[in-house]
Amino acid sequence: MTDSTTTTAATEGAPDYRDGGLVFPADFTFGSATASYQIEGAVHEDGRGPSIWDTFSHTPGRVFNGDTGDVADDHYHRLDEDLDIMKALNLHAYRFSIAWPRIQPTGRGPANQAGLDFYSRLIDGLIARGIRPVATLYHWDLPQALEDEGGWAARSTAEAFGEYARIVGEAFGDRIHTWTTLNEPWCSAYLGYGSGAHAPGLTDPLKALRAVHHLNLAHGLAIEALRGVVTNDPQYSVTLNLHVIRGEGDDSADAVRQIDALGNRAFTGPMLRGAYPADLLADTASITDWGFVLEGDLEIIHQPLDVLGVNYYSTNLVRVWDGVSPKQNADGHKDVGGSPWPGADRVEFLQQPGPYTEMGWNIEPAGLEDLLLSLRDEFPNQPLMITENGAAFDDSVHLELAATDAAAGVVAVHDAAPGVVAVHDAASEVVAVHDADRVDYLRRHITAAHRALEQGVDLRGYFVWSLMDNFEWGYGYSKRFGIVRVDYDTLVRVPKDSAHWYAELASSNRLPD
Ligand code: FCB
């Protein structure tokens, strides 16, 4: 996951990753992913309790434009339509998350039957369409009542999570193909309690580190609970956003090491090796002695995993800050004041060469290949799955009228905005989205995945983020990641060119030319 030399995608003689015709193994999974708070809406329905993201998004100044997930994509009410879209796109698998506050409105106590019923319909609808259900137990919507008791900084939240996993396992443990305990605990801990960019929006380095451990513990407790109740033979996994870290300058090795410890090994250490890395404990010693790690915790966290989920979007470039010049914090996360890197005050994140997506993230497919190869080297027997990869591009600003002559129905798309153009009809309904930039991004990253496979990486699948445009956390609805467009006024869904392209890939396991 680390590299002490600076590289760019444009290195001479390097592949450009724009391959076509590559063939993936017949059992390689092509799916897509979403998360409950980002798409469901219906936040007050059928007994759902408030989550930390409801509170956060309704707090002025926290989310761009004051956007909330109150309606989102209204997926809760459009479940069948969305399932039919997935079927039309030939998806092999669908990665969704279960909203804890729909199952236990306060995070404790008996299950809310209406909440279970919704996910049961989703799971049955997937299976009926031949799509494998991949369920994430936690994609950031913690019940607010548990946050009020200390949230992830408190051990009791991890214990409550184990009980929630048991309830969900009892309800769906006959039908789920792959269980994923947590999505990106890095974000939950460091953005939620360190930088304050995510809910609950705290800026407390000690709480951030406590959250790291309690999330790790929650992962272990959940797998134990699931194993005790499921009746089929599922796969168990966790999804991590592992950081690909490049160093700039001869003395960058220590900056790289420190970010690797906080960003990667703080999770892979306990989960895959059964120990926290010694350098992580040393680097953070001025914040905590990690006394909240109790006897027996590491055995609970260290669970064999059938597949490790990896989310990849871009790379990081770090160096040791000289302490004098203005410090750069270009780590790809919304800078709201606090630091998501407890104890790493001397590390500076540098702006990287483009091109960039609409998030400002650099596009570097080589980073994905490097990440997969380094994971193979570090954990040779651990099967891998890319559980998120994709790109936000602005599909809306370049709206072009489809019919310059509406009667003749002539499609006119101007060329002033190459990359992404949404085409609408005379009534302003978008009828097509030519998102060439997104197709290019996906092609290049899926090529990178294939290159890893050819080099012996045990990679089982790829999930595009995201099935449809949705609530992009602190950025609200301003960033569109979907391969299906959602009109936030009418909630009409329109598959973009990338969706058609991906459907062709999924139907044949061959990268379209
Ligand atoms: C990941 C999240 C996902 C989405 C993408 C763009 O960090 O898991 O919900 O926001 O980034």
Side-chain angles (χ1 to χ4, degrees):
M1 283 158 274
T2 63
D3 182 347
S4 55
T5 58
T6 303
T7 55
T8 71
T11 309
E12 209 159 315
D16 81 349
Y17 294 86
R18 288 196 173 89
D19 292 14
L22 298 175
V23 178
F24 286 79
D27 59 356
F28 190 87
T29 299
F30 283 105
S32 85
T34 63
S36 46
Y37 189 72
Q38 296 182 275
I39 64 166
E40 286 178 1
V43 293
H44 300 299
E45 259 165 86
D46 292 340
R48 177 187 180 278
S51 79
I52 54 174
W53 269 96
D54 296 281
T55 309
F56 191 74
S57 65
H58 279 271
T59 306
R62 292 299 205 174
V63 173
F64 175 80
N65 195 38
D67 290 344
T68 74
D70 288 4
V71 177
D73 293 342
D74 198 31
H75 170 72
Y76 194 78
H77 298 120
R78 289 161 201 260
L79 180 58
D80 292 329
E81 178 187 353
D82 291 340
L83 285 164
D84 288 343
I85 291 172
M86 294 177 215
K87 170 81 181 154
L89 297 185
N90 305 317
L91 298 187
H92 310 166
Y94 174 55
R95 174 176 177 250
F96 61 96
S97 79
I98 297 171
W100 188 351
R102 285 198 195 282
I103 307 300
Q104 290 176 294
T106 62
R108 296 186 192 284
N112 169 35
Q113 191 57 44
L116 290 175
D117 290 348
F118 171 71
Y119 295 106
S120 197
R121 282 205 294 126
L122 167 60
I123 294 162
D124 289 345
L126 290 168
I127 293 170
R129 289 167 181 80
I131 303 168
R132 293 192 292 277
V134 177
T136 301
L137 289 178
Y138 185 72
H139 201 128
W140 307 353
D141 37 8
L142 184 73
Q144 180 62 44
L146 291 183
E147 181 55 41
D148 297 341
E149 294 174 27
W152 288 112
R155 186 180 180 89
S156 52
T157 297
E159 290 159 356
F161 189 72
E163 174 60 11
Y164 156 65
R166 190 189 57 76
I167 292 174
V168 172
E170 274 174 357
F172 312 133
D174 53 342
R175 286 164 287 166
I176 294 295
H177 180 276
T178 301
W179 291 101
T180 300
T181 53
L182 306 172
N183 176 73
E184 301 190 350
W186 184 93
C187 294
S188 301
Y190 296 122
L191 299 181
Y193 297 86
S195 82
H198 280 190
L202 304 184
T203 53
D204 181 330
L206 173 58
K207 284 190 175 157
L209 294 173
R210 293 178 64 95
V212 166
H213 178 61
H214 295 137
L215 283 152
N216 283 330
L217 182 62
H219 159 78
L221 289 170
I223 296 214
E224 279 187 354
L226 289 171
R227 283 198 216 279
V229 294
V230 304
T231 54
N232 64 355
D233 185 22
Q235 307 247 301
Y236 294 100
S237 70
V238 65
T239 279
L240 303 177
N241 54 322
L242 297 170
H243 295 72
V244 178
I245 309 153
R246 322 283 202 203
E248 172 147 301
D250 296 338
D251 60 351
S252 64
D254 201 53
V256 171
R257 179 200 57 70
Q258 205 173 345
I259 297 308
D260 182 45
L262 283 165
N264 300 328
R265 290 181 286 115
F267 304 97
T268 57
M271 287 179 182
L272 301 177
R273 295 192 193 287
Y276 282 103
D279 59 332
L280 171 73
L281 306 185
D283 290 343
T284 53
S286 65
I287 302 171
T288 175
D289 63 2
W290 292 72
F292 44 79
V293 180
L294 304 188
E295 173 115 32
D297 285 1
L298 288 160
E299 288 72 46
I300 295 171
I301 299 168
H302 188 203
Q303 297 282 337
L305 295 178
D306 298 295
V307 66
L308 173 65
V310 177
N311 291 355
Y312 175 82
Y313 291 93
S314 63
T315 60
N316 289 110
L317 179 61
V318 301
R319 73 174 171 208
V320 177
W321 179 44
D322 63 13
V324 180
S325 38
K327 192 175 171 198
Q328 295 186 49
N329 289 314
D331 66 358
H333 300 287
K334 221 176 156 190
D335 190 352
V336 295
S339 170
W341 301 102
D345 304 339
R346 291 297 307 277
V347 178
E348 168 169 61
F349 286 77
L350 304 179
Q351 179 68 35
Q352 298 179 78
Y356 308 102
T357 68
E358 188 67 17
M359 295 295 284
W361 296 346
N362 63 305
I363 301 174
E364 201 192 325
L368 176 58
E369 184 181 345
D370 292 351
L371 174 60
L372 295 170
L373 293 176
S374 66
L375 282 168
R376 175 203 59 189
D377 293 346
E378 247 186 275
F379 307 106
N381 301 316
Q382 179 60 64
L384 306 173
M385 179 98 96
I386 298 166
T387 39
E388 282 182 30
N389 173 246
F393 290 107
D394 190 344
D395 305 345
S396 56
V397 291
H398 308 307
L399 278 183
E400 280 298 302
L401 187 62
T404 38
D405 173 351
V410 180
V411 173
V413 177
H414 78 156
D415 59 6
V420 185
V421 180
V423 181
H424 66 94
D425 62 15
S428 282
E429 296 285 335
V430 170
V431 292
V433 180
H434 301 315
D435 56 342
D437 280 350
R438 187 172 289 102
V439 172
D440 187 60
Y441 181 101
L442 298 179
R443 174 187 299 285
R444 299 182 74 199
H445 287 79
I446 293 168
T447 297
H450 194 274
R451 287 173 60 89
L453 269 175
E454 280 179 328
Q455 292 166 82
V457 173
D458 186 359
L459 180 65
R460 304 287 173 91
Y462 175 97
F463 289 71
V464 63
W465 183 271
S466 178
L467 175 65
M468 50 193 170
D469 294 336
N470 58 48
F471 177 81
E472 179 46 37
W473 309 114
Y475 299 90
Y477 297 100
S478 67
K479 308 293 180 200
R480 292 176 174 272
F481 274 92
I483 57 172
V484 173
R485 178 189 164 81
V486 176
D487 180 316
Y488 293 118
D489 295 325
T490 62
L491 296 165
V492 167
R493 281 93 160 116
V494 175
K496 304 176 190 179
D497 286 358
S498 55
H500 300 302
W501 180 89
Y502 196 69
E504 190 183 335
L505 168 63
S507 74
S508 58
N509 275 21
R510 179 183 179 279
L511 196 62
D513 293 319

